[in-house]
Amino acid sequence: SLYTNIPDYLEYAWVCAPNDPHQLVNDNVITTLTLNTEIQDDGGHGSIASNQISLNPGTYAFSVEVPSLILAEPLVAGLYNVTTGRWVSRGTSIAAAGYYNYQFQRTIIEGQFTIATSNVFEVRAFHSEPDPAYGAFIRNWSYYAYTLATAGADQRTTVKFWKLR
């Protein structure tokens, strides 16, 4: 077969209706982002509960994607290892388009790590806005196109893992 040695794939996300309220990331506050759905878990290597992903021991490649709407300042998001109390990796958002004074932004973080025992992970975000009246809003860009209010139609914060060994 052409397809051999393909790593197991795991995906977790915040899945909701497109018109569900956003999640607010207050200024200068590290915020745990919502994760509520296991999309896929080939091999049963992980689980999700209370915005936390538990992973079995092993080496994983990962990708985290956080769409947001924010006034001027970039959003910093990252994968945080709750078990060790350390960031695995962080990244800064990239602006895509403006909406009045706001910008649609997307933060994408990629990397690889190895854990010897089961560990728990969260996606956390923060930003520093000079005017404390504003915050960052975690929501899918499609919200502004007024897509259908169908439960499960909108996937916002998304975490993908590939179990390498």
Side-chain angles (χ1 to χ4, degrees):
S1 168
L2 291 173
Y3 305 106
T4 59
N5 299 322
I6 297 172
D8 287 347
Y9 176 73
L10 299 82
E11 183 173 335
Y12 303 92
W14 176 18
V15 179
C16 56
N19 66 348
D20 277 0
H22 57 265
Q23 179 176 6
L24 178 63
V25 176
N26 288 309
D27 303 319
N28 303 308
V29 176
I30 297 174
T31 304
T32 299
L33 300 185
T34 302
L35 293 169
N36 62 7
T37 304
E38 180 180 271
I39 307 296
Q40 186 169 338
D41 182 359
D42 297 341
H45 302 292
S47 62
I48 187 168
S50 302
N51 304 318
Q52 296 184 329
I53 300 166
S54 296
L55 293 178
N56 293 335
T59 298
Y60 295 86
F62 69 90
S63 176
V64 177
E65 184 174 336
V66 180
S68 60
L69 179 67
I70 189 169
L71 182 66
E73 300 301 318
L75 180 80
V76 177
L79 185 64
Y80 185 80
N81 186 325
V82 177
T83 303
T84 64
R86 305 182 110 183
W87 292 97
V88 176
S89 185
R90 289 175 285 200
T92 303
S93 60
I94 299 170
Y99 178 77
Y100 295 102
N101 293 327
Y102 286 87
Q103 293 180 340
F104 296 111
Q105 300 187 14
R106 187 168 297 266
T107 308
I108 299 174
I109 307 109
E110 296 176 331
Q112 180 178 316
F113 62 86
T114 299
I115 49 175
T117 61
S118 292
N119 279 222
V120 175
F121 298 87
E122 294 177 342
V123 176
R124 294 183 177 181
F126 60 92
H127 77 104
S128 176
E129 177 61 52
D131 184 344
Y134 299 99
F137 304 102
I138 308 302
R139 58 168 61 167
N140 192 302
W141 299 352
S142 64
Y143 176 85
Y144 291 96
Y146 298 102
T147 55
L148 297 175
T150 305
D154 194 359
Q155 185 165 320
R156 300 180 184 181
T157 302
T158 300
V159 185
K160 300 174 183 180
F161 298 100
W162 294 266
K163 187 163 191 310
L164 303 177
R165 40 184 192 276

